[in-house]
Amino acid sequence: MTDVLRVFLDGVPAGTLSRVKGGRVTFDYDDRYRRSMNPTPLSLSMPLIRPSYPPRGG
C-alpha cells in the first residue's frame, strides 16, 4: 500500500509526498507548479530542476 500526501505552498498544489514499500518517502513536484511563474522550491536541497526525488540510502 502507498500512502500519499498532497503538498501545497501558499495554497497552490506543489507536489506529492508518497510513502512507498518499506516506509521510504518520495517527493514529486507537480508539473504545473514547476512551470508556473516564480515557483518556490520545497527545500534548497530539492531544487525545481528535478521533477522527482526518490528515497535516499538504503
Side-chain angles (χ1 to χ4, degrees):
M1 174 182 220
T2 301
D3 295 322
V4 176
L5 177 69
R6 294 288 316 262
V7 176
F8 291 78
L9 292 174
D10 294 324
V12 178
T16 305
L17 193 64
S18 303
R19 184 170 45 185
V20 295
K21 187 176 179 181
R24 299 174 75 190
V25 177
T26 65
F27 180 77
D28 298 296
Y29 278 110
D30 182 275
D31 287 333
R32 284 176 282 172
Y33 182 77
R34 289 180 63 232
R35 291 189 305 255
S36 67
M37 292 278 271
N38 300 316
T40 302
L42 184 65
S43 166
L44 292 176
S45 64
M46 297 172 68
L48 293 157
I49 195 164
R50 289 182 55 193
S52 182
Y53 288 84
R56 289 186 181 178

